[in-house]
């Protein structure tokens, strides 16, 4: 049986994509260099939050297969790159995984194939980094094979929008490339949006995340001066949200996490500086504000303990929720990490509880507690860092000695302080 598509990179982006394509009846091959991931998938075990073991079993029954054999890429009509692009040391995207994936495709490229990059990156990557490598063997993009960019829009833990019902933006090297990509995704995604080209599709992804980055920074800065002025920002946001047009609610927090917000906008900022020689000031200011939030939370924690007649040094501080967003196990760029490290640097004894995290490898010095309800009563200060659905926040706040709510979920009171 011919392979309709090979998905390169079987993480939180590639696996849901493979799932929807398989459900639509396509023969899908998953390629990953991590032999452990491939073995787990072959045994029906999922390693991402949004897919259960049952989902993997359903995919296998539908013909999905995971492999580490690079040569099998050549069996596919479509190759989709879904590998990670973390920040490099100079602040731009680290494209090593993309370059490795492109090289693997180039070694197995056939006439008529469609190659799509989904990994988030700076504008121009598809044309300047991907295309030359693929064309080095003599085949020409837009003539001998199709090339396109389609930004991933996976939101881990989102129970409303997934790979199927989230509109898919596609931008091709040529109009024909765009149509080829649109036809591929159109078989299993409800809505396909055609961009003018690859650069427009690449920039659209960065605009989406920069928009959120800047607005989160706005409310994070407001949280600081509203506290000083005695204004309840959470009530302010609720009131402003009553306007049926021209306003979208964003909420403050202990920092930003995941890949999209703290990392992706920096690709655009880095690209503007490198190519044009001037800063993308909104992004750089937002990064400055958002990156300061863990330190601000530590400062507030110190002040709260002072009102209780306790120093931060030597006090036990319990962190509730250490993932980057609620109800998932994903810890990428979680603000809980710098928060815990800065608390420890000031002499606090840090404990944590998270129903989704068994081993907090980023902060091995922190002590895990099994029972949040019991631990809040023993800790000198409890900080709600992430509001998982498993938490009865009001009950935990009531049982605590002092409770610092960075998510606005508990009623403010004598021993409850809100960000």
């Amino acid at each position: 049986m011919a392979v309709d598509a090979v998905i390169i990179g079987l993480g939180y982006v590639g696996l849901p994509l493979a799932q929807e394509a398989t459900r639509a009846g396509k023969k899908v091959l998953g390629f990953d260099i991590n032999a452990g991931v491939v073995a787990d998938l072959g045994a029906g075990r999922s390693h991402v939050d949004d897919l259960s073991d049952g989902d993997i079993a359903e995919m296998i029954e539908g013909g999905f297969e995971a492999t580490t054999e690079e040569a099998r890429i050549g069996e596919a009509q479509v190759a989709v790159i879904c590998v990670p692009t973390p920040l490099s040391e100079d602040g731009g995207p680290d494209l090593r995984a993309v370059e490795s994936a492109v090289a693997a495709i180039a070694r197995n490229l056939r006439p008529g194939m469609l190659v799509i990059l989904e990994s988030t990156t700076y504008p121009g990557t598809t044309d300047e980094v991907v295309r030359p490598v693929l064309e080095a063997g003599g085949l020409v993009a837009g003539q001998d094979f199709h090339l396109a960019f389609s930004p991933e829009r996976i939101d881990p833990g989102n129970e409303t929008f997934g790979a199927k019902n989230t509109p898919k933006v596609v931008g091709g090297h040529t109009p024909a490339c765009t149509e080829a990509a649109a036809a591929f995704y159109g078989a299993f995604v409800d809505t396909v949006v055609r961009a003018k080209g690859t650069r427009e599709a690449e920039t659209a992804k960065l605009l989406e995340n920069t928009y959120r980055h800047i607005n989160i920074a706005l409310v994070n800065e407001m949280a600081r001066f509203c506290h000083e002025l005695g204004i309840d920002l959470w009530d302010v946001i609720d009131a402003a949200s009553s306007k049926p047009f021209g306003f979208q609610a964003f909420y403050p927090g202990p920092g930003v996490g995941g890949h999209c917000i703290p990392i992706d906008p920096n690709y655009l900022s880095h690209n503007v500086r490198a190519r044009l020689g001037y800063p993308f000031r909104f992004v750089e200011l937002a990064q400055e504000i958002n990156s300061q939030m863990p330190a601000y939370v530590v400062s507030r924690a110190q002040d709260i303990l002072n009102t209780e007649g306790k120093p931060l040094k030597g006090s036990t501080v319990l962190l509730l929720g250490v993932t980057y967003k609620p109800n998932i196990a994903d810890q990428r760029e979680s603000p809980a990490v710098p928060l815990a490290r800065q608390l420890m640097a000031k002499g606090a004894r840090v404990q944590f509880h998270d129903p989704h995290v068994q081993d907090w490898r980023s902060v091995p010095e922190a002590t895990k507690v099994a029972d949040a309800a019991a631990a809040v009563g023993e800790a000198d200060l409890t900080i709600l860092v992430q509001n998982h659905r498993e938490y009865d926040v009001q009950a935990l706040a009531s049982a605590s000695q002092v409770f610092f709510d960075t998510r606005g979920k508990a009623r403010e009171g004598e021993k409850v302080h809100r960000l």
Side-chain angles (χ1 to χ4, degrees):
M1 182 179 179
V3 175
D4 294 306
V6 57
I7 310 299
I8 300 175
L10 300 175
Y12 80 100
V13 173
L15 209 53
L17 180 68
Q19 179 188 37
E20 290 302 336
T22 301
R23 282 176 171 172
K26 290 187 177 294
K27 169 64 176 175
V28 179
L29 181 68
F31 173 82
D32 202 292
I33 61 172
N34 188 323
V37 165
V38 169
D40 281 347
L41 291 173
R45 293 188 295 270
S46 176
H47 62 286
V48 300
D49 289 299
D50 290 342
L51 275 73
S52 66
D53 291 352
D55 290 327
I56 303 301
E58 180 185 297
M59 290 170 64
I60 293 172
E61 187 176 343
F64 173 76
E65 183 184 356
T67 183
T68 57
E69 296 179 36
E70 180 190 298
R72 296 202 59 193
I73 293 173
E75 299 176 21
Q77 298 173 358
V78 181
V80 187
I81 302 170
C82 300
V83 297
T85 48
L87 282 181
S88 62
E89 290 184 2
D90 66 353
D94 182 343
L95 294 180
R96 286 178 294 180
V98 170
E99 291 165 348
S100 177
V102 173
I105 295 171
R107 289 189 287 269
N108 296 278
L109 187 65
R110 295 180 294 100
M113 282 182 72
L114 164 63
V115 179
I116 305 172
L117 176 63
E118 285 208 8
S119 305
T120 305
T121 184
Y122 62 84
T125 301
T126 306
D127 187 51
E128 299 166 7
V129 176
V130 177
R131 184 171 64 86
V133 175
L134 295 178
E135 289 184 338
L139 298 179
V140 178
Q143 296 180 26
D144 304 307
F145 67 95
H146 294 299
L147 176 64
F149 181 83
S150 180
E152 61 89 1
R153 281 175 161 174
I154 297 296
D155 184 20
N158 192 321
E159 297 176 357
T160 303
F161 291 102
K164 179 173 173 56
N165 64 348
T166 301
K168 202 81 174 77
V169 172
V170 297
H173 177 62
T174 65
C177 292
T178 299
E179 291 308 313
F184 168 67
Y185 287 116
F188 56 91
V189 177
D190 294 342
T191 306
V192 176
V193 179
R194 292 163 175 80
K196 186 176 181 180
T198 57
R199 281 176 167 81
E200 286 75 15
E202 289 163 339
T203 310
K205 168 66 174 180
L206 299 180
L207 175 59
E208 295 168 16
N209 292 335
T210 300
Y211 167 80
R212 292 171 61 202
H213 188 45
I214 289 170
N215 280 281
I216 291 170
L218 170 66
V219 292
N220 275 338
E221 188 164 38
M222 288 188 71
R224 301 177 72 152
F225 69 70
C226 280
H227 171 68
E228 297 294 329
L229 295 172
I231 298 170
D232 186 340
L233 178 60
W234 304 95
D235 189 63
V236 170
I237 296 171
D238 286 344
S241 296
S242 66
K243 185 180 180 182
F245 55 90
F247 180 81
Q248 181 180 352
F250 288 84
Y251 298 92
V256 292
H259 191 282
C260 293
I261 304 305
I263 293 181
D264 292 357
N266 290 304
Y267 298 165
L268 196 52
S269 176
H270 180 269
N271 196 234
V272 170
R273 272 193 179 273
R275 295 188 175 224
L276 304 178
Y278 54 80
F280 189 173
R281 290 182 292 170
F282 263 125
V283 167
E284 294 185 7
L285 180 59
Q287 181 66 24
E288 179 185 337
I289 292 169
N290 287 335
S291 65
Q292 290 173 351
M293 288 308 291
Y296 174 68
V297 171
V298 171
S299 176
R300 285 284 306 277
Q302 198 163 18
D303 291 343
I304 291 167
L305 281 169
N306 282 344
T307 64
E308 300 294 314
K310 297 178 180 180
L312 180 57
K313 183 176 182 179
S315 289
T316 298
V317 179
L318 171 64
L319 305 181
L320 297 178
V322 297
T323 59
Y324 90 86
K325 66 183 299 187
N327 311 319
I328 64 171
D330 200 332
Q331 301 172 43
R332 289 172 301 153
E333 307 299 324
S334 171
V337 174
L339 174 56
R341 293 199 186 284
Q342 291 179 44
L343 286 167
M344 288 175 175
K346 291 186 177 295
R349 294 192 297 267
V350 175
Q351 299 178 336
F352 80 96
H353 178 276
D354 194 305
H356 301 274
V357 176
Q358 300 305 315
D359 182 15
W360 196 14
R361 295 180 181 176
S362 298
V363 191
E365 307 93 331
T367 302
K368 179 178 175 63
V369 299
D371 186 349
V376 294
E378 298 173 0
D380 295 295
L381 173 65
T382 298
I383 304 178
L384 178 67
V385 183
Q386 195 52 264
N387 180 38
H388 294 305
R389 65 166 65 94
E390 289 88 348
Y391 291 146
D392 183 337
V393 175
Q394 196 58 49
L396 290 169
S398 298
S400 68
Q401 293 188 39
V402 191
F403 196 86
F404 184 17
D405 178 8
T406 72
R407 297 295 179 178
K409 300 300 180 181
R411 293 188 298 274
E412 197 163 19
E414 184 178 338
K415 61 180 179 179
V416 176
H417 304 261
R418 296 202 292 182
L419 189 65

